[in-house]
Amino acid sequence: MSDDVKKSCGCGDCGCGTAAGRLPQSAPRRGFMVKLGAGLLGVGGLLTAIPIVGYIVGPATKRFSNVWVELGSVALFPAGQTRFATFLNPIRQPTDGDSAKTACWVRCIDTAKYQVFAINCAHLGCPVRWFAQSKLFMCPCHGGVYYQDGSRAAGPPPRGLFEYKWKVEGGKLLIDAGRLPGLEESV
Amino acid sequence: MSFLKASLAWIEERTGAMAFIAPLLFHHVPRNAKWWYVFGSATLMFFTIQIVTGVCLATVYAPSAAQAWESLNYIDNEVPMGWMLRALHGWSSNAMVVMMAIHMLQVFLHASYKYPRELNWITGVFLLLTVLALAFTGQVMRWDQDAYWGLGIGAAIADRIPVFGDQVRAMLLGGPIIGGETLNRFYALHVFVLPGAAIALVGLHMVLIIKNGISEMPKPGAVVVPSTYRKEFEERMHTDGVPFMPDAAQRDMVFCGVCLIGLFALAAISGPIGPGGMPDPTLINTNPRPDYPFMWLFGAVSLLPPASETAIMLIAPAIGVLLLLAIPFFSNSGERAPSKRPAMVLLAVVTVMAIAALTWEGTTSPWSPVMDGWSSLPTPAKFTRGRTPLEMQGAVVFQYAQCRNCHALDGQGGRRGPELDAVATRLSYDQLVRQVQQGGGNMPAYGKNLDSAQTAAVVAFLATLHPSNEPDSMIPGAQLPIPTGSAAAH
Ligand code: FES
């Protein structure tokens, strides 16, 4: 291919610019068009990226605050005992199905004195189980054990069980719940 | 026939398809490759099965947290051949991971990653990551208890990332809890993003194979010299190579055929994998375990020392991947024969053994209490015979206070703590009391949780656990058996 064909055609090797009989564009104009195209695409791309990225990282930027949820009448939680309780997570989507259900352990130390523990082990979140006979919570995953007051007894957990804030209103026990408990913050 | 030929020629003239495919099919490969090189093809075959069965399953599966589990049961029980499709998809996934690991091991042992095939290796590492990600997201698709709590573990690990833990966790879960958006996020990854990435990477991997040729079997002394390798390799292929089709492809075909029949048999006999218990987080009688490809990770996480586990969990995977990617840059010339690279062979052997050992540990998970050991395991009769009432009472306390969840008797029970069949030979009476009351090691202190009568009873029982030719645990200094002693009784 001759040099002047290469020069006159944008694609460099097919010679289409001359074959189609079009007038060769001048070099500066072609450079301008490429820059304009790249600029337009860049701006358009950035604009389009805003909603896409926002959509994907949305959950990370959205703040959820906990809500007071009812666990039931205080009569369900007799003094000196630790009982299993469930509630529907206040922060939920229509598509959550059963996964919006949440469990917790309610310890009634004495009348109107409670401790409400998250079901999630403070190690890696597995569901801990209460054993009333030995007064221990045990975790099925890696053998974490907690005492009845939620403090760490043995195994890998770095701390005691997560506790919910609670209050009693009109004979009902309420807890401040929502987010999946985690190390970064206590519930 | 001439019509067929004419039609083919007509198509060829307009598409150039054969001109494109023929070099791929008939390119020359080393004569001596034999059976070593079939594993990559088998991996690709399993991947194809995954795509076909995956698309089929997607026609019925409901990617919604509210319905996914039910739709899987529907596929298993109601849809014609549904159970078999799920079985094929599940077992082929495991098979693909295994085949890929073998393929990688072979490439590593033969140092096929050396010049000019560094990028073959690197695209392979990304394929490995993609396939593992597919396996993990696939486990989430089952949306059963294992999937739910497995996500919980993933969320808890993400939560430990310094500063951004919260945000990363929210990104992973798609919200503040494990719920509808979590499943849909993983669904989008599992059926769009990751398969797309895998297909693109497989394409790249293939282009590189064609471009760089299939490496020869390593021979001691046949060193790779980057400046001359390509020219010499091409010459050797020209003079001594054999066409891929049929010389090498025939072995691929035989091996893949055997694999495919094996997969069919495995799927037909074993049936679909899961789904396990329904994904209701209030059903806490569960024992979450990952799928086999991740069992070794589960084992590793469980065995890490708690003090450093956060750092290791967060950093070790990144270091591992970087090391894999770096291999061809550290050694891209020289000897390829395993006999000349003993350190590398040792590294491979140690890695394989470590993964095997961790998989075994993960599967048996001796660190997990047997949650129903206390209520479901009988007290071995030999440990009750001839015991005093107090000792018998102690045996009851031993079961009742969940000791059995972590301690085995006669081989049955938890493995979290030591088996106690002969504990009286190791601990004196006082040491037994102290261990029960104060705990220590991995044992909680039972002092607050047992009253003194219960403690006395359980220690009296433990003091009798020894081989019949040895005495009960003594009170130190006393020459007599403990006061409640059973020596007189047996
Ligand atoms: S999650 Fe409970 S001990 Fe690891």
Side-chain angles (χ1 to χ4, degrees):
Chain A
M1 186 178 296
S2 77
D3 256 12
D4 46 291
V5 172
K6 230 179 220 170
K7 248 181 242 149
S8 62
C9 167
C11 76
D13 56 17
C14 70
C16 55
T18 46
R22 271 187 258 120
L23 282 179
Q25 282 180 351
S26 66
R29 184 165 157 76
R30 197 164 57 224
F32 170 74
M33 284 289 275
V34 169
K35 280 187 198 132
L36 180 69
L40 287 175
L41 273 176
V43 172
L46 271 181
L47 281 176
T48 322
I50 292 171
I52 294 174
V53 173
Y55 187 86
I56 294 172
V57 304
T61 52
K62 205 165 154 188
R63 300 308 311 169
F64 297 92
S65 29
N66 284 359
V67 179
W68 286 102
V69 204
E70 206 181 289
L71 288 185
S73 154
V74 288
L76 291 172
F77 308 106
Q81 296 205 24
T82 299
R83 291 273 173 103
F84 185 71
T86 64
F87 59 92
L88 259 190
N89 201 300
I91 310 172
R92 59 176 182 267
Q93 310 299 327
T95 54
D96 284 344
D98 279 349
S99 51
K101 293 195 205 164
T102 316
C104 61
W105 291 107
V106 179
R107 175 187 184 213
C108 179
I109 308 171
D110 212 338
T111 350
K113 270 186 75 186
Y114 297 89
Q115 272 185 303
V116 185
F117 303 112
I119 199 78
N120 305 93
C121 181
H123 180 226
L124 293 177
C126 286
V128 295
R129 257 180 265 173
W130 167 248
F131 291 93
Q133 299 80 6
S134 54
K135 303 196 179 68
L136 294 172
F137 294 97
M138 292 189 193
C139 175
C141 284
H142 319 103
V145 186
Y146 306 85
Y147 293 117
Q148 59 179 345
D149 63 354
S151 61
R152 176 188 173 278
R159 49 161 285 167
L161 289 172
F162 305 113
E163 281 185 55
Y164 293 101
K165 286 195 210 101
W166 60 269
K167 67 180 179 190
V168 176
E169 251 176 33
K172 310 256 188 218
L173 181 64
L174 285 85
I175 59 169
D176 188 34
R179 297 179 37 99
L180 181 69
L183 278 189
E184 284 290 295
E185 23 123 48
S186 44
V187 285
Chain B
M1 269 309 102
S2 70
F3 172 72
L4 189 69
K5 254 196 190 142
S7 327
L8 283 178
W10 189 93
I11 294 173
E12 179 61 14
E13 207 266 324
R14 280 153 187 82
T15 60
M18 265 329 269
F20 178 70
I21 295 170
L24 305 186
L25 281 183
F26 302 113
H27 74 282
H28 276 201
V29 298
R31 181 180 294 280
N32 59 3
K34 301 283 182 231
W35 291 95
W36 279 99
Y37 293 4
V38 296
F39 305 114
S41 313
T43 310
L44 184 57
M45 179 199 69
F46 285 126
F47 182 57
T48 317
I49 302 280
Q50 289 308 84
I51 293 186
V52 175
T53 52
V55 169
C56 292
L57 290 173
T59 60
V60 182
Y61 177 71
S64 156
Q67 288 156 341
W69 189 80
E70 265 121 43
S71 75
L72 289 175
N73 284 301
Y74 176 70
I75 294 175
D76 279 354
N77 300 319
E78 314 263 344
V79 178
M81 282 296 121
W83 68 274
M84 188 60 181
L85 265 262
R86 283 202 62 241
L88 284 170
H89 198 68
W91 290 106
S92 168
S93 152
N94 286 344
M96 177 164 60
V97 173
V98 169
M99 261 326 140
M100 192 171 50
I102 297 176
H103 175 53
M104 189 175 187
L105 193 64
Q106 179 264 319
V107 166
F108 182 79
L109 287 175
H110 287 176
S112 308
Y113 53 77
K114 294 194 175 186
Y115 179 88
R117 301 187 181 82
E118 295 96 329
L119 288 176
N120 296 44
W121 173 266
I122 286 173
T123 50
V125 171
F126 282 112
L127 269 171
L128 172 77
L129 296 177
T130 311
V131 167
L132 287 179
L134 277 164
F136 184 81
T137 52
Q139 183 185 323
V140 173
M141 291 306 100
R142 279 208 299 274
W143 205 245
D144 53 10
Q145 287 179 341
D146 282 357
Y148 181 90
W149 296 107
L151 282 168
I153 290 179
I157 292 176
D159 211 28
R160 295 191 178 201
I161 296 172
V163 188
F164 300 111
D166 233 19
Q167 282 75 10
V168 176
R169 186 181 84 163
M171 286 278 295
L172 187 75
L173 300 183
I177 62 166
I178 301 166
E181 286 177 52
T182 317
L183 175 60
N184 285 76
R185 281 200 161 216
F186 279 82
Y187 181 75
L189 287 174
H190 188 73
V191 307
F192 298 118
V193 180
L194 292 169
I199 290 170
L201 284 165
V202 166
L204 210 51
H205 206 62
M206 302 299 244
V207 166
L208 291 169
I209 290 169
I210 299 294
K211 158 82 181 152
N212 295 325
I214 290 176
S215 70
E216 295 148 292
M217 282 295 283
K219 264 204 309 274
V223 293
V224 175
V225 182
S227 57
T228 57
Y229 179 85
R230 197 184 280 283
K231 196 159 155 282
E232 289 173 7
F233 174 79
E234 269 156 23
E235 269 168 31
R236 283 197 299 274
M237 285 308 104
H238 193 68
T239 53
D240 195 36
V242 290
F244 173 73
M245 186 77 200
D247 289 63
Q250 59 191 6
R251 290 193 199 91
D252 285 339
M253 287 161 71
V254 169
F255 185 71
C256 287
V258 171
C259 283
L260 194 52
I261 293 169
L263 170 71
F264 188 90
L266 186 62
I269 294 167
S270 311
I273 304 175
M278 61 194 297
D280 178 340
T282 61
L283 304 176
I284 61 162
N285 278 358
T286 171
N287 194 9
R289 289 294 177 271
D291 281 1
Y292 265 100
F294 302 102
M295 213 41 122
W296 65 282
L297 279 176
F298 170 63
V301 166
S302 306
L303 292 171
L304 288 175
S308 52
E309 66 178 7
T310 304
I312 295 177
M313 278 189 296
L314 296 180
I315 297 169
I319 293 182
V321 172
L322 283 180
L323 280 180
L324 280 179
L325 290 173
I327 286 173
F329 296 104
F330 280 118
S331 80
N332 81 329
S333 59
E335 286 283 0
R336 285 183 50 220
S339 59
K340 299 281 178 187
R341 300 160 52 246
M344 288 296 168
V345 176
L346 187 66
L347 183 66
V349 170
V350 169
T351 308
V352 169
M353 285 190 347
I355 290 180
L358 286 172
T359 301
W360 171 254
E361 286 289 296
T363 311
T364 53
S365 46
W367 50 81
S368 290
V370 176
M371 301 294 263
D372 60 353
W374 67 289
S375 53
S376 70
L377 297 174
T379 305
K382 64 174 177 183
F383 293 139
T384 58
R385 221 166 279 136
R387 298 318 200 251
T388 65
L390 179 66
E391 289 159 1
M392 294 291 266
Q393 185 58 35
V396 172
V397 174
F398 187 79
Q399 292 287 140
Y400 177 80
Q402 282 90 27
C403 305
R404 201 74 185 274
N405 290 16
C406 294
H407 293 288
L409 285 183
D410 204 21
Q412 284 188 301
R415 304 248 155 229
R416 177 87 181 138
E419 179 158 343
L420 297 183
D421 281 14
V423 68
T425 64
R426 298 195 298 273
L427 298 182
S428 72
Y429 182 84
D430 279 5
Q431 287 170 321
L432 282 172
V433 172
R434 177 162 7 95
Q435 185 65 30
V436 169
Q437 289 191 332
Q438 300 177 7
N442 263 324
M443 180 167 162
Y446 273 78
K448 287 181 263 178
N449 305 346
L450 296 179
D451 61 34
S452 57
Q454 288 173 315
T455 307
V458 81
V459 171
F461 171 66
L462 292 172
T464 67
L465 298 180
H466 55 75
S468 54
N469 58 342
E470 298 201 33
D472 289 358
S473 293
M474 306 273 184
I475 296 178
Q479 290 309 305
L480 293 168
I482 57 171
T484 55
S486 52
H490 46 87

